[in-house]
Amino acid sequence: MMACGTSRRNKKVLLYLIFCVAYICLLYSWTGHLKTRTKNGTSACSSSNHTPATILLWHWPFGKAYPLNGNVCWNLYKIPGCKVVDQHSEFLNADIVVFHQKELALKKQKLPLNLARPLGQRWLWMSLEAPQNHGNLSQFANLFNLTMSYRRDADITLPYGELQPQDGEIEDFSMNKTNLLCWVVSNFKSRHKRSEVYRELSAFVKITVYGRWKNARLPSASLLPTISRCYFYLAFENSISKDYITEKLWRNSYLGGAIPVVLGPPVEDYKAVAPPHSFIHVDDFASVKELGTYLQELAADRERYQEFFRWRQKWKVKLNTDWRERLCKICTKYHCLPQQKVYSDLDAWNNG
Ligand SMILES: *[C@@H]1O[C@H](CO)[C@@H](O)[C@H](O)[C@H]1NC(C)=O
Ligand SMILES: *[C@@H]1O[C@H](CO)[C@@H](O)[C@H](O)[C@H]1NC(C)=O
Ligand SMILES: *[C@@H]1O[C@H](CO)[C@@H](O)[C@H](O)[C@H]1NC(C)=O
Ligand SMILES: *[C@@H]1O[C@H](CO)[C@@H](O)[C@H](O)[C@H]1NC(C)=O
């Protein structure tokens, strides 16, 4: 009896010991993992003590060239270690060659497949359009090493706008409203999901529409002042795809000072980039009618309405519109970019 009891206890102790050792090992490997991560994170991406990277833009997006005199990235954006050029004669010196999708698709420009690519040179595919507008990219398999897009999973992410800490005067956009809900639309297509939601919604609330579609084109100088007189703005994207959040949110709504009612990628995509409590997502409502009722209630409730402006005490919006700044951004990421990478199926990535 005695012996049996002891051996049972021993077994228990042994099991307990094994468990402890396993636990310690697991803990140890996890902290080790964390350590390597932090180490790589801090050292791999610093841009000091490196020779400047040469970024060659093969053709200007939409055929519109910007001057690149002097050290553009430093002079305009205080980004060091970056040389942006647009002369094809720099091909052999370029660390990264940038190609904008639109001109390749229209066959206005061609890839320099006749030139031998210097060892280590990387080709970058760039576009800010939604995937549906890229066409068939299978011809570009095994050519590009990097992607630059508004997508968060691109090698370099170029959002249409971003947040910066508020450091200036905060404009009170919550006052002086005369229209409940506004929309500026030039490219109206009834097959767009947004057109259907607009039509349904307009049965419940008054929507003031501007733009080419209604023959009420706004001169660019009056776009934002006009929107500022609206409680809400329809920031409806024409293509629904992940992370595709354009100037309809960043410029029209946030800079205009109307609360955006968004239709586009899922709420999570907005939450990842937009300020908290700054927008109303169409998907959050069981019906368009409920959305309409909510907008009317909110406009009538000063306090609740103003809560949507509170983020402005902390954040301000910066638009990214100059292609030079976009190109310079490559250098801020240069030392964290994957060293060896090929997009063997760019079309699949585009549709992914
Ligand atoms: C850290 O960098 C080393 C060498 O550069 C690499 O082998 C390793 O995979 C990296 N680890 C992580 C977690 O990125
Ligand atoms: C894209 O083009 C490739 C060859 O050029 C073709 O095999 C493929 O079927 C096309 N894909 C679509 C969706 O049209
Ligand atoms: C509201 O409108 C009045 C008159 O147009 C103007 O003086 C005032 O500055 C506006 N207030 C805000 C917060 O925009
Ligand atoms: C870039 O892509 C090309 C074409 O697939 C490939 O041969 C080359 O090894 C890649 N270079 C780097 C640095 O990833």
Side-chain angles (χ1 to χ4, degrees), residues 117 122 142 145 339-342:
R117 202 192 290 203
R122 284 172 284 175
N142 285 310
N145 308 98
Q339 286 309 308
Q340 194 65 45
K341 184 171 183 177
V342 177

Side-chain angles (χ1 to χ4, degrees), residues 147-182:
T147 52
M148 183 148 89
S149 132
Y150 58 82
R151 272 168 62 171
R152 282 177 291 149
D153 62 354
D155 296 303
I156 299 166
T157 303
L158 276 181
Y160 279 77
E162 57 194 292
L163 297 177
Q164 290 185 335
Q166 178 62 265
D167 57 2
E169 211 170 296
I170 304 158
E171 230 179 306
D172 184 3
F173 280 118
S174 68
M175 311 287 279
N176 282 356
K177 303 296 191 186
T178 48
N179 294 317
L180 180 73
L181 181 55
C182 302

Side-chain angles (χ1 to χ4, degrees), residues 97-154:
V97 187
V98 178
F99 302 92
H100 184 246
Q101 161 64 18
K102 187 84 182 180
E103 291 72 31
L104 297 178
L106 294 176
K107 301 220 166 15
K108 284 188 175 162
Q109 296 287 341
K110 281 193 315 224
L111 295 171
L113 296 172
N114 53 322
L115 302 179
R117 202 192 290 203
L119 201 67
Q121 180 181 86
R122 284 172 284 175
W123 286 14
L124 183 151
W125 179 90
M126 173 171 77
S127 179
L128 292 177
E129 309 278 324
Q132 298 89 320
N133 298 328
H134 290 146
N136 190 338
L137 295 180
S138 61
Q139 54 173 321
F140 299 137
N142 285 310
L143 287 172
F144 290 98
N145 308 98
L146 301 166
T147 52
M148 183 148 89
S149 132
Y150 58 82
R151 272 168 62 171
R152 282 177 291 149
D153 62 354

Side-chain angles (χ1 to χ4, degrees), residues 156-260:
I156 299 166
T157 303
L158 276 181
Y160 279 77
E162 57 194 292
L163 297 177
Q164 290 185 335
Q166 178 62 265
D167 57 2
E169 211 170 296
I170 304 158
E171 230 179 306
D172 184 3
F173 280 118
S174 68
M175 311 287 279
N176 282 356
K177 303 296 191 186
T178 48
N179 294 317
L180 180 73
L181 181 55
C182 302
W183 192 24
V184 176
V185 60
S186 40
N187 171 30
F188 185 90
K189 297 230 166 62
S190 45
R191 67 179 157 82
H192 287 162
K193 184 184 170 195
R194 64 179 190 182
S195 310
E196 187 190 314
V197 176
Y198 158 76
R199 254 194 308 266
E200 275 186 56
L201 190 57
S202 60
F204 303 112
V205 295
K206 182 170 180 344
I207 306 178
T208 310
V209 183
Y210 303 92
R212 204 171 59 211
W213 176 51
K214 285 282 183 190
N215 259 328
R217 225 189 186 132
L218 285 175
S220 61
S222 53
L223 176 73
L224 298 184
T226 302
I227 293 174
S228 77
R229 289 191 294 273
C230 312
Y231 282 91
F232 303 100
Y233 181 79
L234 292 184
F236 282 11
E237 301 298 349
N238 53 22
S239 294
I240 312 261
S241 46
K242 83 171 161 192
D243 291 334
Y244 189 62
I245 301 171
T246 67
E247 79 290 341
K248 294 169 182 69
L249 179 84
W250 293 106
R251 184 193 59 198
N252 299 12
S253 312
Y254 287 154
L255 295 189
I259 300 177

